[in-house]
Amino acid sequence: MNSFLKISNIWKYYSGRPVLKDISFEVSRGEYFVVLGPTGAGKTTLLKILAGIVSPDKGEIYIDGKPMVNVPPEERGVGYFPQFFNLFNHMTVWDNVCFPLLVKGIDIVEAEKICKEMLSLMHLLDRADSYPYELSGGMRQRVALARALATGAELLLLDEPLSQLDAKLSVELREELKSIARSLGRTVVHVTNNVEEAVELADRIAVMNNGYIIQVGSYDELRRKPKNLFVEYFLSDVNVFRAYVLDPHDGLLRSSSDVCFKFRVKPLCEDASSLLRSGGEVIVCVDSDVIVLDPPSDSGWNVFDAIVEEVLFHRGGYTYILKTCCGATKIMMKVMDEMEVGIGCKVKVGFKTSDARIYDVSEYDSILYHGG
């Protein structure tokens, strides 16, 4: 990898408690790199360390091959977009973007040209004469983003840059942000807790939780080969069942909470097979988009009677919440098109035995952040 940014063994403690734990990764020049994780994972602290606002207790940072740990923020050559951005309330939108360029010594004609380009990209030219207090939260966020892009820094550090935008504008800016960064030749480290945002923007994603970088890769790599239960659970809408192994040779399991809910699995890797052989309790994951209505009744499928409890519309399709006829287990099924079954309908649903993935029950606690 042609590393432009390299982070090696970064640790950070607050009041003796580690909030960043042995963080290491590399970002290549021109890459759009997203750090994805729940609130409290340590993402903002990591970004502040890269910006030079916070000092690590251990570890090294290199930007373009140069050590940065002891370099002050203003000498790092990075553009930083903080989660709680600070605009100058006594300055207009135009001046908020243009003034920092003039302070850097950029010629006024060039500074005004850059300012106009950035405000145009952010759909803010018509508000150039407005003051921050006259703008909505989303507009202020776009001004701060325009200011970060205008710096010309090769490395952009973006902390939740789309979090205060309305849904439609957020989607529009996702589509533009990566192409803007690429056309300007910027390397980007972008932190978010929004999976959809990460998937649409990232060349690679670093999944973070509890101060650790758990896994780094493309979205496809992370989905196909998640390192652990947390990565799988956080990246996708999956059904998670705690289950007892009834027959390790036949792959027969029973839900821990529902004696009637039995199903078979066909592990595709040796680690999962060994968990079955050891018996006891395991965690089973099944993607919501592989659950089907009226499945085949052959031995390769698990088939259940269920009742439609809820139907939810979302961007990209529909989610059906089903409960087994025993009533103790709920199953989530995602489809592209609305089906001709409504709330209260009795249906048959199922999934392939090979679509179930097995994890050690000890990993269950890692997902109990409840989306926080």
Side-chain angles (χ1 to χ4, degrees):
M1 174 184 287
N2 178 24
S3 298
F4 179 68
L5 171 66
K6 182 176 180 180
I7 296 96
S8 298
N9 310 115
I10 292 292
W11 287 79
K12 182 62 185 177
Y13 296 84
Y14 286 132
S15 302
R17 182 177 67 88
V19 294
L20 294 180
K21 306 167 185 177
D22 201 22
I23 300 290
S24 296
F25 60 84
E26 298 182 25
V27 180
S28 61
R29 188 182 296 275
E31 184 176 16
Y32 205 111
F33 188 88
V34 174
V35 180
L36 173 68
T39 300
K43 305 184 303 295
T44 294
T45 299
L46 174 60
L47 215 63
K48 286 181 177 180
I49 284 176
L50 297 182
I53 298 167
V54 172
S55 296
D57 293 305
K58 299 178 187 176
E60 298 294 333
I61 300 168
Y62 298 89
I63 298 177
D64 202 14
K66 301 171 184 175
M68 288 288 157
V69 166
N70 296 315
V71 175
E74 63 274 12
E75 296 178 20
R76 294 194 178 199
V78 302
Y80 176 54
F81 179 99
Q83 188 172 13
F84 303 104
F85 44 88
N86 296 312
L87 298 177
F88 301 117
N89 277 322
H90 64 288
M91 290 186 179
T92 63
V93 167
W94 179 274
D95 289 338
N96 263 282
V97 178
C98 197
F99 178 70
L101 301 176
L102 298 175
V103 170
K104 289 180 64 177
I106 295 175
D107 175 77
I108 187 169
V109 175
E110 180 64 17
E112 291 183 345
K113 178 184 175 183
I114 294 170
C115 182
K116 185 176 181 180
E117 289 176 353
M118 294 303 108
L119 291 180
S120 178
L121 285 171
M122 295 295 114
H123 310 292
L124 286 167
L125 267 180
D126 62 336
R127 302 304 299 266
D129 294 329
S130 299
Y131 289 89
Y133 57 81
E134 297 175 316
L135 305 177
S136 67
M139 285 183 176
R140 291 197 297 272
Q141 192 161 22
R142 280 185 280 155
V143 175
L145 187 54
R147 185 172 63 184
L149 288 167
T151 62
E154 286 190 79
L155 177 61
L156 285 175
L157 307 174
L158 308 180
D159 192 355
E160 305 276 6
L162 307 178
S163 62
Q164 291 190 35
L165 304 180
D166 61 71
K168 185 173 185 298
L169 184 57
S170 176
V171 171
E172 288 176 1
L173 282 185
R174 285 179 211 164
E175 294 170 355
E176 294 180 8
L177 191 52
K178 188 172 181 178
S179 62
I180 290 169
R182 184 156 289 168
S183 66
L184 296 175
R186 309 296 171 80
T187 302
V188 180
V189 177
H190 173 136
V191 308
T192 183
N193 58 16
N194 187 310
V195 175
E196 187 178 88
E197 183 178 308
V199 171
E200 291 186 16
L201 284 168
D203 294 314
R204 287 186 306 142
I205 298 169
V207 180
M208 190 172 188
N209 189 38
N210 193 31
Y212 291 103
I213 295 290
I214 299 172
Q215 188 173 359
V216 178
S218 68
Y219 176 68
D220 185 55
E221 290 168 341
L222 297 173
R223 287 288 287 114
R224 283 189 296 106
K225 294 183 178 180
K227 187 174 181 180
N228 61 17
L229 176 61
F230 178 82
V231 174
E232 173 151 13
Y233 184 80
F234 194 74
L235 284 181
S236 59
D237 292 321
V238 295
N239 293 285
V240 179
F241 309 118
R242 294 182 70 134
Y244 292 111
V245 178
L246 298 179
D247 185 341
H249 302 292
D250 197 30
L252 181 64
L253 293 88
R254 171 179 72 77
S255 169
S256 301
S257 59
D258 183 351
V259 295
C260 299
F261 189 65
K262 296 178 182 179
F263 54 92
R264 284 183 168 83
V265 298
K266 184 180 179 181
L268 299 179
C269 69
E270 179 55 33
D271 286 348
S273 296
S274 66
L275 285 174
L276 289 184
R277 288 194 297 268
S278 66
E281 196 175 21
V282 295
I283 300 297
V284 180
C285 285
V286 182
D287 288 334
S288 58
D289 57 5
V290 303
I291 305 291
V292 300
L293 193 67
D294 296 326
S297 57
D298 61 58
S299 60
W301 286 80
N302 294 292
V303 182
F304 312 101
D305 292 317
I307 298 172
V308 179
E309 189 173 68
E310 196 172 357
V311 181
L312 306 171
F313 173 74
H314 56 86
R315 184 171 174 257
Y318 295 82
T319 297
Y320 287 77
I321 308 299
L322 313 162
K323 65 178 180 180
T324 60
C325 286
C326 294
T329 301
K330 292 192 177 183
I331 302 172
M332 178 171 54
M333 176 174 63
K334 293 186 73 173
V335 295
M336 294 294 291
D337 301 309
E338 188 174 13
M339 300 186 299
E340 294 182 359
V341 292
I343 295 173
C345 287
K346 292 184 178 181
V347 295
K348 284 191 180 293
V349 294
F351 59 89
K352 291 181 181 179
T353 58
S354 58
D355 281 336
R357 293 173 298 280
I358 314 297
Y359 293 95
D360 191 288
V361 71
S362 64
E363 293 191 36
Y364 188 73
D365 287 345
S366 72
I367 67 172
L368 296 181
Y369 63 92
H370 300 299

